[in-house]
Structure formats: C-alpha cells, structure tokens
Amino acid sequence: MSESEAKALRIILLGPPGCGKGTHSAWISEDYGIPQISTGDILREAVAEGSDLGKDAQRYMDAGKLVPDEIILGLARERLAQPDVARGFILDGFPRTIPQADGLAEILEKLEQRLDHVIEITLDREELIRRITSRRVCPNCKAVYNLSFKPPEREGICDRCGARIVQREDDTRETVLQRLEVYERQTAPLIDYYRERGLLRVVRADEGYDATRAQIEGYLGGKTE
Ligand code: AMP
C-alpha cells in the first residue's frame, strides 16, 4: 500500500470468540503494514515461557475468564510504546472491558494518537461454537486453521512453517460456552461505547471469509477525516 506511507491506521477488531478476529487481523496487518497486537497471543507466549505473568494468567484463560484489567493494561502500555506501532496497529482481542477501553484511551492520549476504526464482526452463536471447536492453531507461527472450511494442505501440519497444529486448550466446548457468556456480559458493552464515539463499523461474518474481507476493505479503503 503505497499511500499508507503517510497516514497511520489504528484499528480495533471487536467480536465474540470464533468470529474471525485473528484471521482478519492477519491480512490487515500484512496489507496495511501495521502490527497485529493480540493480547491472547502475548498471554499464550507468557504461559509457554512459564513466566510469573504466564502462571497468573493461565488459570483465568483455562477457565474461559478474563485476565484482570490491570495486567492487560500493563501489557498494552508496554506493547504500544514499541517503535513499530508508529504507523498504526490492529488490536485483536483488546480491549475487552469498559475499564480496558478507558485505559486504552488514556494510553493513546499520552502518545497523541487516535483510533480510526473499531470493526465489529458479527456471527450467530451456533456458528461461533461450531467454528471454535473445529479451530486449530500453529503454536509456532500462530497461523489459524479450521477443520471444516480452512484445513491445512497436509493433515495436522502448518502450511506456513511445517509445525504440528494443535487445538487451543480453551477451545473445548465447555470453555467456549463460558467465553461466549463472558463476551456478552463484559465485552459487548464496548459496541455501544464505540458507537457513541462515532468509531463503530459493523461487518457480518456469515457470508464467508471473502465477503467479510471485502466489507472490511470497504471501510479501511474509505477516507477517514
Ligand atoms: P483470545 O486469544 O483473544 O481468545 O484470548 C484467549 C484468552 O486470553 C481469553 O479467554 C482471556 O482469558 C485472555 N485474554 C486475552 N485478551 C484479553 C483481554 N484483553 N482481557 C482479558 N483477558 C484477555
């Protein structure tokens, strides 16, 4: 994207687990040359390293609950201070509560940065459950697959890096129901929060990847004032 040299692009992807936030963040990151910042990925790395943060976070994650806001805001503050976010970022899975959204607004104000778009991806509950339970991920390069509609070329092996793909610990049916409930209660209020601020754009995920991608491109390609 040659034009993107001049203008920074700061995006939040919002939506329930399984709606495709990670999948769409990945191409947006590549096409617009901005880093994808996933608090879930940062936490999973901390868990894999066995750090104190990881140990703390793991019990919330395994139970399908949210990690406390102060921990998440600490991670976000640190990540958003890195030089690679100067031209923008795409936030995937953060913020997830009103206090996190307020905290993000404070962080950005200090950095003299503004959000451009909050993109909400919608999908009905049964389809979310179906997609999450058939999701597989690459623990090495973080590529996301789906056994129903986006399987890897070789069964069980990541197309991109050749590692063995796995099911996330929290993608089991019981944990998924808990995560959906947490989304409705704690994260869905952000939809109104960002609508009131004139930042919300809504796209539907029920017509498949290409249609969702085209809707997102429609928003990102459009001029923001
Ligand atoms: P995700 O990969 O975004 O689905 O996140 C996986 C899990 O990490 C969530 O179910 C939470 O336990 C935790 N997590 C990730 N991001 C956040 C956040 N912004 N706030 C609280 N917990 C989070």
Side-chain angles (χ1 to χ4, degrees):
M1 291 222 75
S2 52
E3 287 172 12
S4 64
E5 291 300 318
K7 193 181 179 315
L9 187 57
R10 301 187 184 93
I11 311 169
I12 294 175
L13 275 198
L14 190 62
C19 71
K21 292 190 298 295
T23 301
H24 291 291
S25 297
W27 70 259
I28 295 170
S29 166
E30 204 156 297
D31 281 16
Y32 292 85
I34 50 179
Q36 168 185 3
I37 300 180
S38 156
T39 41
D41 281 347
I42 296 173
L43 292 169
R44 278 184 288 278
E45 261 160 43
V47 169
E49 280 165 9
S51 65
D52 287 346
L53 163 68
K55 283 181 198 139
D56 229 21
Q58 187 168 22
R59 54 199 173 99
Y60 296 100
M61 296 169 80
D62 286 350
K65 298 200 168 134
L66 294 185
V67 172
D69 291 335
E70 318 80 75
I71 297 183
I72 298 292
L73 282 169
L75 292 176
R77 201 169 288 116
E78 201 177 302
R79 183 63 187 87
L80 289 169
Q82 302 298 314
D84 65 333
V85 300
R87 287 196 36 241
F89 51 74
I90 171 143
L91 300 180
D92 158 13
F94 168 78
R96 256 175 158 103
T97 63
I98 299 276
Q100 287 184 21
D102 286 339
L104 172 64
E106 240 171 71
I107 295 171
L108 293 180
E109 201 179 325
K110 284 206 183 105
L111 295 169
E112 298 184 353
Q113 295 180 357
R114 269 168 189 280
L115 291 171
D116 295 300
H117 305 277
V118 177
I119 299 174
E120 183 204 0
I121 307 181
T122 64
L123 190 62
D124 80 52
R125 186 183 158 86
E126 281 315 305
E127 182 62 14
L128 288 169
I129 295 172
R130 200 175 67 80
R131 287 196 190 182
I132 301 176
T133 49
S134 54
R135 169 160 68 187
R136 298 292 181 272
V137 295
C138 174
N140 182 43
C141 76
K142 313 283 181 268
V144 183
Y145 298 91
N146 195 289
L147 300 184
S148 333
F149 57 86
K150 195 192 165 212
E153 277 170 25
R154 273 193 302 152
E155 197 184 326
I157 303 294
C158 178
D159 294 342
R160 213 152 71 180
C161 75
R164 181 156 287 282
I165 59 173
V166 296
Q167 181 170 40
R168 274 171 45 176
E169 301 259 343
D170 58 349
D171 275 351
T172 57
R173 195 176 166 89
E174 311 76 72
T175 313
V176 165
L177 296 179
Q178 165 72 14
R179 286 161 64 207
L180 288 174
E181 206 249 304
V182 165
Y183 177 80
E184 283 308 322
R185 198 160 26 89
Q186 294 183 268
T187 308
L190 293 180
I191 297 167
D192 280 342
Y193 179 100
Y194 286 117
R195 186 183 289 120
E196 284 160 14
R197 286 158 178 77
L199 291 169
L200 190 75
R201 334 277 178 231
V202 183
V203 302
R204 293 169 46 161
D206 58 353
E207 287 159 10
Y209 171 89
D210 289 342
T212 310
R213 179 168 173 157
Q215 291 173 64
I216 296 175
E217 281 168 343
Y219 286 125
L220 301 187
K223 202 83 198 91
T224 51
E225 77 290 358

